[in-house]
Amino acid sequence: MFQPYELFVGLRYTRAKRRNHFISFISLVSILGIMLGVTALITVTSVMNGFEKEMRERIVGASSHATVTGLGEPLQNWQEVADITMTHPEVIGAAPYVEGQVMLVHSGRSTGALVRGVLPGEEGKVSELGDKLEQVDSLDVALQPGEYGLLLGSDLAAYLGAFVGDRIMVITPEASVTPMGFVPRVKRFTVTGIFRFGMFQFDRNLAVMHAADSARLFKLGEGYSGVRLKLEDTGRAPLVARDLRDELGYDYYVSDWTQQNANYFLAVKMEKTMMFIILSMIVAVAAFNIISTLVMLVQDKQADIAILRTQGASPGSILSIFVVQGTLIGVLGTVFGLIGGILLASNIDVVVPFIEQFTGPVLNPEVYYIDEMPSDLRSSDVIKVGLMSFGLSLLATIYPAWRASRTDPARALAYE
């Protein structure tokens, strides 16, 4: 009446009601173990994806997708270089910049910082600085040539105790020759605004001024440090940079954001791989609990197996019965784990703040570069985790099921 009968018997054997409740308990533990492992694996993978995506967006939003610089000397013809780069179909913006290291001093505190000189009218083509400003309406208002205005990152301003309107001493490492000897160049700037990218690397170490003021500060004359580029697809930055190198020739050096921040993304990639391997072991341990469950079940059902064999069941049918049971355990654990992982990864922005009420901040921005827990759930990862969990569960059923198929009916019924 039940076809195929292997499926019917296998489903009935999933719960050992009459004689051994311990087997049912072990089956439940196996399901829960697989479920927790899959949930953890999907959640951690999504968080690592989100961390990588968030870092990429914030880095390219604060810096640039690609950069063109002169070889050992200031760039005097930035407009010509920008026009050449804009002929590439994947370059959608170009703007000059001046960059250098300085010492900032205010209220008895001093710290090193990276100063970037920009043209307010051009900067919006290559970065999101204008959208990250606080206490000021626009770059054009905050940075006027000759006014020596300065924008500070939020963490840098907090460290110096500086507010909008304060005067800050800017000291360059290049010295000027005077009758008194070598004297560092010093200039006072007025804080005209604060910006916040949400990434500690920039909020703590970056200050922005008008390109004309920075050129005077670093004595570049009419020159610039280089040209920053914005690309249509950040993922193709290395390929576009290679094309621009061929087009511009050997008088210019072209780099992209993957080179400038290679260490960050290599570290994230390695950590993501190691976390996947470690959490996969949890799933593997839970899946191989199925082996002990089926081994005990086979021992418990020796007489039933022998009776089935005497009634005409083939060794393949017996093997199929126990494969069905082991596979069912794996499928239930995998499905529940996928559901739990998807729900948790999709609501990480709610779960983490709740946990932080008891534990304090989970992410230290000085260590992790960002101040909130990101999540990027990808269907490819869900499919990969699900197939891996199901495959391990199926693999774990093979040996116990094969042992069951090798049961000798005469020996099993000898003492019944």
Side-chain angles (χ1 to χ4, degrees), residues 3-200:
Q3 295 293 336
Y5 76 90
E6 294 91 348
L7 177 62
F8 171 73
V9 176
L11 294 177
R12 287 292 301 271
Y13 275 5
T14 302
R15 296 183 60 192
K17 289 183 179 180
R18 292 184 302 169
R19 286 186 291 181
N20 199 336
H21 294 282
F22 183 68
I23 297 176
S24 296
F25 174 74
I26 295 298
S27 299
L28 179 61
V29 170
S30 301
I31 293 173
L32 291 177
I34 295 173
M35 181 187 73
L36 293 176
V38 171
T39 298
L41 189 53
I42 290 177
T43 303
V44 171
T45 302
S46 299
V47 169
M48 295 301 297
N49 290 337
F51 183 74
E52 183 179 13
K53 179 181 177 181
E54 194 73 16
M55 282 188 62
R56 181 186 296 113
E57 290 178 352
R58 296 191 183 191
I59 286 175
V60 300
S63 54
S64 58
H65 300 173
T67 303
V68 181
T69 57
L71 295 180
E73 58 183 16
L75 202 64
Q76 302 293 337
N77 57 337
W78 79 266
Q79 188 64 62
E80 179 183 344
V81 172
D83 292 340
I84 294 175
T85 59
M86 288 297 293
T87 59
H88 194 286
E90 296 190 55
V91 178
I92 58 178
Y97 74 98
V98 176
E99 203 165 77
Q101 297 285 341
V102 300
M103 178 75 74
L104 302 181
V105 180
H106 177 71
S107 299
R109 288 192 170 189
S110 61
T111 182
L114 176 69
V115 162
R116 180 179 297 157
V118 302
L119 292 178
E122 304 288 335
E123 185 64 14
K125 298 178 181 179
V126 296
S127 80
E128 301 174 358
L129 178 61
D131 299 328
K132 307 299 182 180
L133 296 176
E134 299 177 357
Q135 305 178 39
V136 64
D137 295 332
S138 66
L139 287 174
D140 293 318
V141 175
L143 302 178
Q144 296 287 336
E147 296 295 328
Y148 295 100
L150 188 67
L151 299 174
L152 297 178
S154 57
D155 293 320
L156 179 59
Y159 176 81
L160 293 172
F163 300 91
V164 174
D166 289 353
R167 302 273 288 175
I168 288 185
M169 186 182 298
V170 179
I171 305 173
T172 66
E174 293 85 1
S176 300
V177 180
T178 69
M180 302 298 294
F182 290 95
V183 178
R185 292 201 298 273
V186 180
K187 183 66 181 178
R188 289 192 177 274
F189 282 74
T190 302
V191 179
T192 56
I194 307 293
F195 60 84
R196 182 190 299 273
F197 282 101
M199 189 168 182
F200 186 79

Side-chain angles (χ1 to χ4, degrees), residues 68-75 224-226 248-254:
V68 181
T69 57
L71 295 180
E73 58 183 16
L75 202 64
Y224 292 86
S225 299
L248 290 170
Y250 295 103
D251 293 333
Y252 303 94
Y253 176 72
V254 183

Side-chain angles (χ1 to χ4, degrees), residues 85-388:
T85 59
M86 288 297 293
T87 59
H88 194 286
E90 296 190 55
V91 178
I92 58 178
Y97 74 98
V98 176
E99 203 165 77
Q101 297 285 341
V102 300
M103 178 75 74
L104 302 181
V105 180
H106 177 71
S107 299
R109 288 192 170 189
S110 61
T111 182
L114 176 69
V115 162
R116 180 179 297 157
V118 302
L119 292 178
E122 304 288 335
E123 185 64 14
K125 298 178 181 179
V126 296
S127 80
E128 301 174 358
L129 178 61
D131 299 328
K132 307 299 182 180
L133 296 176
E134 299 177 357
Q135 305 178 39
V136 64
D137 295 332
S138 66
L139 287 174
D140 293 318
V141 175
L143 302 178
Q144 296 287 336
E147 296 295 328
Y148 295 100
L150 188 67
L151 299 174
L152 297 178
S154 57
D155 293 320
L156 179 59
Y159 176 81
L160 293 172
F163 300 91
V164 174
D166 289 353
R167 302 273 288 175
I168 288 185
M169 186 182 298
V170 179
I171 305 173
T172 66
E174 293 85 1
S176 300
V177 180
T178 69
M180 302 298 294
F182 290 95
V183 178
R185 292 201 298 273
V186 180
K187 183 66 181 178
R188 289 192 177 274
F189 282 74
T190 302
V191 179
T192 56
I194 307 293
F195 60 84
R196 182 190 299 273
F197 282 101
M199 189 168 182
F200 186 79
Q201 176 188 2
F202 298 110
D203 292 344
R204 175 60 179 83
N205 300 304
L206 181 63
V208 180
M209 61 180 66
H210 196 282
D213 298 337
S214 59
R216 294 191 193 99
L217 184 67
F218 295 111
K219 290 189 175 181
L220 296 182
E222 299 296 325
Y224 292 86
S225 299
V227 176
R228 301 163 66 211
L229 307 176
K230 185 176 183 178
L231 309 180
E232 185 173 359
D233 182 3
T234 58
R236 289 180 51 81
L239 299 177
V240 176
R242 185 184 61 189
D243 294 341
L244 293 177
R245 289 189 200 102
D246 296 337
E247 191 169 351
L248 290 170
Y250 295 103
D251 293 333
Y252 303 94
Y253 176 72
V254 183
S255 61
D256 61 86
W257 67 272
T258 61
Q259 294 173 295
Q260 299 162 4
N261 304 277
N263 291 338
Y264 297 141
F265 294 99
L266 287 175
V268 171
K269 182 178 180 180
M270 181 180 67
E271 186 174 355
K272 180 180 176 181
T273 301
M274 293 306 300
M275 291 300 296
F276 187 88
I277 293 174
I278 292 171
L279 293 175
S280 296
M281 292 181 182
I282 297 177
V283 179
V285 170
F288 282 107
N289 280 339
I290 297 174
I291 296 178
S292 59
T293 301
L294 293 184
V295 166
M296 287 188 292
L297 185 66
V298 168
Q299 190 65 31
D300 185 61
K301 299 295 184 181
Q302 286 287 312
D304 295 354
I305 296 171
I307 292 173
L308 287 173
R309 288 296 309 277
T310 59
Q311 291 181 343
S314 66
S317 297
I318 301 300
L319 184 143
S320 300
I321 289 172
F322 289 94
V323 167
V324 166
Q325 183 186 3
T327 302
L328 178 62
I329 295 173
V331 168
L332 290 176
T334 300
V335 170
F336 290 139
L338 292 177
I339 294 173
I342 292 172
L343 291 177
L344 185 56
S346 301
N347 295 278
I348 200 73
D349 55 337
V350 177
V351 175
V352 172
F354 175 76
I355 296 175
E356 289 180 337
Q357 294 178 3
F358 306 97
T359 63
V362 174
L363 290 179
N364 183 350
E366 296 186 16
V367 177
Y368 297 99
Y369 301 102
I370 59 176
D371 52 8
E372 59 184 14
M373 183 75 76
S375 178
D376 181 19
L377 181 63
R378 300 176 183 175
S379 58
S380 59
D381 290 331
V382 174
I383 295 173
K384 180 171 65 175
V385 172
L387 291 177
M388 180 202 69

